[in-house]
Amino acid sequence: MPAPLTTFVGRRREAAGVCARLERGRLVTLTGPGGAGKSRLAIEVATALKARYRHGVWFVELAGLSDPLLLTHAVAAGLDVPEQAGRALPEVLTERLRDAALLLVLDCCEHLVEAVAQLVLRLLSACRHLRVLATSRERLGVPGEALWPVAGLAAPPEHVGEAGVMEYDAVRLFVDRATAVEPEFAVTGSNAAAVARICRKLDGLPLAIELAAARTNALDAPQLSKWLDDRFRLLAWESRAPLPRHRTLDRVVEWSYDLLSEAQRALFERLAVFAGAFTLEAAEAVAAADADGAAELGGLILQLVDKSLVTVVPQHTPTRYRLLETLRAYGLERLRRRGELETLSAQHAAYFLNLAEQAWERFRGPHQAVWLNRLKSEHDDLRAALEWLLASREVDGAVRLAGALASFWDVQGRYAEGCVWLGRALGADHEGTAKGRVRALIGLGLLAVIQGDLERAWHSCSEAEQLSRRDGDLQGLVCALQYLGFGALLLGNPDHAVEVLGESLDAALKTGEPWLVGWSYLFLAMVEVTRRDFARAVRHGRTAFGLLCEAGEPKSIAWAELTLGTASWGLGDIEDARARTGEALRLFHKLDAPWGLAEVFQITAMLALPVHHWERAAALFGASDTARKQSGAALLPFLKRWRAAGIAKARAELGGQRFDTAREHGRRWPLEAAVLAATAELGTALPPPPAAAPAPAAGARDASAEAPQQATLRRQGDYWALAHGGHVIHLKHAVGLGYLARLLGEPDREFLARDLAAAERGAPRGTPVAPEGPASSGPGDAGPALDARAKAAYRRRLRELAEELDEAERFNDTARAERARVELDAVTEQLAGAVGLGGRDRRAASDSERARLSVTKALKSAVKRIAVHDPVLGLHLERSIRTGAYCSYAPDPASRIVWG
């Protein structure tokens, strides 16, 4: 969920009503004008309902999406639903959500209303436990849709006195935002009427009120009201013609716009060309009118930030900015009226084309991860640039930009989206003469071959080969031949693959480029792996590895390591195979490359078989399936036979039911969990050779890789019993027990949890526990180990909360800061008493202690009931009980709460 930067004022009853409506219906659409607070209300409702949905609450923002054809891709990406080769994404999405109990929030649907309506209808018809909360300026028109109009906040009527105005949400919002820019601002007898008048004239619209409140550092309330009087009639008249559906909000935006200086106005309009978050560097390159403008642009942006017209995006280095979508739409319309939109869009496209081509040049070097993150941050604007180039028939630019992004789409596993853009760009080049066409064709061939679409890959690379030979493009020829050779290998023709790859190697040697030569050798090594000539594969692989290390590109080095690891596995050199596969895992994980990780998990599963880690191997096979689906990559044909043989072996040893259970568990692992499991497997010391340690009989228990779900933790009176592998460990009910319970509940931590529970000074892992009962403290006493773990976990959370509090205070987010302070207090208090599972018993020691606990429990229950009706009072009462301090509370928020 997006983290709000300001407090949520008012709408508590509305939020409760929307929650109740979602209980009765499956689709609720928040409707209303721009700036009415639909998105913020949706976030608040979704946050309140998070615990009610077993599979969570998912927020998908559609404001940056302009092409309806990519709607399903955006929703799937927001839901972490992977693409699958050969299957339509709507079908995959429907299948994934069929039995999921979740709430899907679709924000800003009005510009894609038809596409959203069709997708929502399909999902709701097929997924009976799914609920959808949408925000839109118009209804979706789907059967069963419940509309919830979101109007302005309640504003005070005329003749309401000073004491009464603060009862209205619009005034409370104005005061909250005004004090953020002018700390001394307060509603008094001299300005109460003016504040009420401002809120009424702005129709209580939250965005309009925030824009007005931002001026209180320069104008007092009566002056602000007068300025609004002067402009109100003009704004109401001007807003009727150009954009009727924006009419209410345009009055406020126009007024705020008129208060800007000429330089601020010009910059505000020009910044609207950015579709996503932008850096100061990008703003200087695109939005500055000249060199002098670039010099003062930074100061102007800060001024617009102060006026709430530009938003600072947190947690970004360097700092990024963005315009709210409504404000951006207004700025774009102003540019269009002035006739400047085409010029600015051309400058925008040129900047991002240049950026993408810079990234393509540097993608083959050691700074690949840096450029990968840069392109991820710029992806919305890269899409917008592509869309404008295609719409403007700037074919050369569109083909160059799409071709330059192919490597980015490859590493990120965005194969389907990349193919859409590359196909559109190449299809627009009817004459086949665009600059960069060879690069785009090779990029399309690469993405297609990874998806298993070998026919499309062959056509693209064949055309690239012909154009490269015609134009003397030696580098293009090498890449085209490499992918043609790889395609031949995937088609089961290794002899033809060697012939084509040999030609690519000859051409690569002429270029003198280590990266190109290295990849020709690496493809040849893959051919020899397929032929099972592992010795020759090692020779080719080592040559490739040396050349690719010289180039320094992490992705290429990772594939070289994995190929060499596979060859070493084939030669029986398991130690080298583990080391190289582990290095490939590290590099692919750093790049967040799902296809590479899928192949690492599969090789790791096969490496687990010789050491009889049957269940871990089964889980890793499942994790490989999931990662491959996330990337949309096809299973390499020459790995299918080995995978099938490995699965058959593990199934025979475990039995069908245990194997399927373990593999299904691995399929449910999140990516980080699978990485941890693979790391654990690759870092495990090799067992004694079979002569010293005979292999277990089929179906024997594998103590080194138990299925995680076989561990149980149950309450037995005042103690807990952890049962695993036939052993029972009795634990006191203490602070550290919560840490153990969390470990057992996380699929990536079950091995660690089991090891900690069996920990003992000097005792080997898995030592049986003597059945002395709860009082035993012999083998299996987990206290010392879990004490350290629990305290480390608490201290780590304290550091995280301190960082969160610092960031919240920097952005004046009082609600977030207060939440962080409350949790800081609670965690600090817990840490003071955290003595682990070996620590003091938490049972009441006496009748008086039990009575005290009973009274405290009753007080907390009463405070919870109070908090439902008055959250602020409830929060202070909770703090009072927790800290033992007294407080006096006044219901007027303008008054201070006094602590005693």
Side-chain angles (χ1 to χ4, degrees), residues 433-450:
T433 58
K435 295 177 182 178
R437 185 174 180 83
V438 169
R439 181 190 297 173
L441 286 167
I442 291 170
L444 180 58
L446 167 64
L447 301 184
V449 77
I450 294 171

Side-chain angles (χ1 to χ4, degrees), residues 484-626:
L484 285 171
F486 188 52
L489 174 64
L490 298 184
L491 286 170
N493 193 345
D495 293 336
H496 181 58
V498 168
E499 179 183 345
V500 177
L501 291 171
E503 187 179 354
S504 81
L505 177 58
D506 292 339
L509 290 169
K510 294 177 183 178
T511 68
E513 291 283 344
W515 188 86
L516 290 171
V517 179
W519 266 102
S520 291
Y521 274 113
L522 189 56
F523 280 124
L524 286 169
M526 294 178 188
V527 174
E528 300 307 333
V529 167
T530 304
R531 289 173 159 176
R532 304 186 70 85
D533 189 344
F534 298 115
R536 181 175 290 183
V538 168
R539 288 197 297 273
H540 287 324
R542 286 177 177 170
T543 302
F545 181 73
L547 291 163
L548 294 172
C549 283
E550 181 181 344
E553 182 202 1
K555 184 198 78 170
S556 298
I557 296 171
W559 281 113
E561 291 276 24
L562 189 60
T563 303
L564 279 169
T566 306
S568 295
W569 169 75
L571 290 172
D573 189 352
I574 303 299
E575 184 175 354
D576 184 69
R578 285 177 178 274
R580 291 191 178 278
T581 305
E583 182 61 16
L585 172 63
R586 184 186 70 81
L587 292 170
F588 282 133
H589 182 237
K590 183 178 180 180
L591 295 172
D592 192 22
W595 182 36
L597 289 172
E599 303 308 330
V600 165
F601 297 154
Q602 180 156 275
I603 298 299
T604 305
M606 291 190 285
L607 288 170
L609 298 175
V611 293
H612 312 134
H613 293 173
W614 311 115
E615 285 175 325
R616 185 175 286 173
L620 286 168
F621 278 126
S624 177
D625 293 341
T626 299

Side-chain angles (χ1 to χ4, degrees), residues 109-268:
C109 301
E110 57 267 8
H111 61 304
L112 302 168
V113 65
E114 291 295 331
V116 171
Q118 293 176 18
L119 179 61
V120 168
L121 179 60
R122 175 172 185 156
L123 292 177
L124 290 177
S125 299
C127 310
R128 57 180 178 174
H129 301 300
L130 174 68
R131 278 174 164 74
V132 177
L133 177 62
T135 72
S136 177
R137 297 184 189 180
E138 61 180 295
R139 69 178 69 206
L140 300 183
V142 175
E145 179 185 28
L147 299 181
W148 190 280
V150 180
L153 297 171
E158 293 183 0
H159 311 302
V160 173
E162 174 190 354
V165 296
M166 289 303 300
E167 298 294 324
Y168 293 87
D169 288 340
V171 174
R172 292 173 55 205
L173 176 65
F174 184 90
V175 172
D176 183 88
R177 301 304 190 258
T179 54
V181 297
E182 181 55 48
E184 300 301 320
F185 182 86
V187 174
T188 64
S190 61
N191 66 11
V195 170
R197 200 158 50 242
I198 290 170
C199 293
R200 284 196 303 273
K201 291 177 179 178
L202 296 178
D203 299 318
L205 291 173
L207 179 57
I209 291 172
E210 291 183 353
L211 291 170
R215 298 297 300 176
T216 54
N217 62 337
L219 299 171
D220 59 29
Q223 289 174 323
L224 195 56
S225 177
K226 186 176 180 180
W227 271 75
L228 192 56
D229 281 336
D230 293 338
R231 294 295 184 182
F232 192 79
R233 290 185 296 274
L234 178 62
L235 293 171
W237 176 77
E238 283 191 346
S239 66
R240 295 182 184 278
L243 293 170
R245 64 193 182 115
H246 295 165
R247 187 172 302 158
T248 304
L249 185 59
D250 274 352
R251 295 181 215 159
V252 179
V253 178
E254 184 98 30
W255 164 76
S256 179
Y257 174 87
D258 282 346
L259 293 178
L260 299 176
S261 67
E262 287 299 325
Q264 291 169 345
R265 292 180 191 176
L267 179 58
F268 169 70

